[in-house]
Amino acid sequence: MRQLIDLIEKVQSFIESGGPVLKVIFVVTLVMWAFILERLWYYRAVYPSLEKKTIQAWMARKERKSWYAMQVRQMLITEVLLSTNQSVKTIQTFVALCPLLGLLGTVTGMIEVFNIMALVGGSNARAMASGVSMATIPTMAGMVAALSGMYFAVRFGRLADNKVSLMEDSLVRE
């Protein structure tokens, strides 16, 4: 139990040393990961039934060659496309936002350093240390958060393209 309390205190100290922008990065990262987990759940639990339902709907048609049938086929493929690409752009936006928030943390931390230098002079390194940590920690956190989501953003985009391509191949025209 003591180890858990020590860990919580270290995390709290880390967040405080990073300044208020680090809290924003933390919230944005949590939201991004909520979207990532939703997409993981979607591909594991939801997509297989959607794929099966779509193929069954196409195979239930007696006629699959007319212009009208091709429009129905295109509609089914578009529904799969929309469903598989849902939230991918949102994840990509959060990935792009994290380094920008880290940069904002750098700027606010440097402003803090300059304020301390103006108050106590440039020779007091201890006084400037908190501003320097406010400048570097959010930058690092923003980059780490972006890297943690970048893999999944690319992976989900490719996975959606592959699923739609396979769906197009599955809906044969006969």
Side-chain angles (χ1 to χ4, degrees):
M1 184 67 176
R2 182 66 190 154
Q3 291 175 341
L4 179 62
I5 293 171
D6 289 342
L7 178 65
I8 291 171
E9 288 174 357
K10 288 178 183 179
V11 169
Q12 187 176 13
S13 173
F14 177 77
I15 290 172
E16 288 173 4
S17 66
V21 175
L22 190 60
K23 294 174 186 172
V24 174
I25 292 171
F26 180 72
V27 170
V28 167
T29 304
L30 283 179
V31 173
M32 177 181 70
W33 271 94
F35 280 103
I36 288 171
L37 292 174
E38 182 274 332
R39 284 287 88 189
L40 288 171
W41 175 78
Y42 169 81
Y43 282 114
R44 294 259 188 223
V46 177
Y47 181 77
S49 64
L50 173 67
E51 180 181 36
K52 185 178 177 182
K53 184 180 110 180
T54 303
I55 292 172
Q56 285 175 347
W58 178 249
M59 292 303 181
R61 292 186 54 82
K62 292 180 181 163
E63 189 275 314
R64 298 186 200 119
K65 291 183 180 180
S66 69
W67 178 87
Y68 183 73
M70 290 300 105
Q71 298 306 309
V72 170
R73 179 180 179 271
Q74 189 59 44
M75 179 200 65
L76 292 170
I77 293 169
T78 302
E79 287 175 356
V80 171
L81 175 71
L82 291 173
S83 181
T84 56
N85 277 321
Q86 184 178 345
S87 301
V88 174
K89 293 291 184 190
T90 305
I91 294 169
Q92 291 171 343
T93 301
F94 283 125
V95 166
L97 184 61
C98 287
L100 296 175
L101 289 172
L103 183 59
L104 177 64
T106 301
V107 171
T108 58
M110 291 310 296
I111 290 171
E112 182 70 21
V113 169
F114 294 139
N115 282 338
I116 291 170
M117 286 174 64
L119 292 174
V120 297
S123 61
N124 192 343
R126 265 189 208 276
M128 291 188 300
S130 68
V132 170
S133 69
M134 282 179 63
T136 56
I137 291 175
T139 305
M140 175 197 63
M143 295 305 285
V144 168
L147 287 173
S148 74
M150 188 178 296
Y151 168 78
F152 291 100
V154 171
R155 178 84 173 125
F156 292 146
R158 287 183 182 163
L159 191 58
D161 291 343
N162 289 341
K163 296 289 186 187
V164 170
S165 179
L166 289 173
M167 183 59 63
E168 287 176 344
D169 294 342
S170 297
L171 302 183
V172 292
R173 297 177 192 167
E174 294 182 4

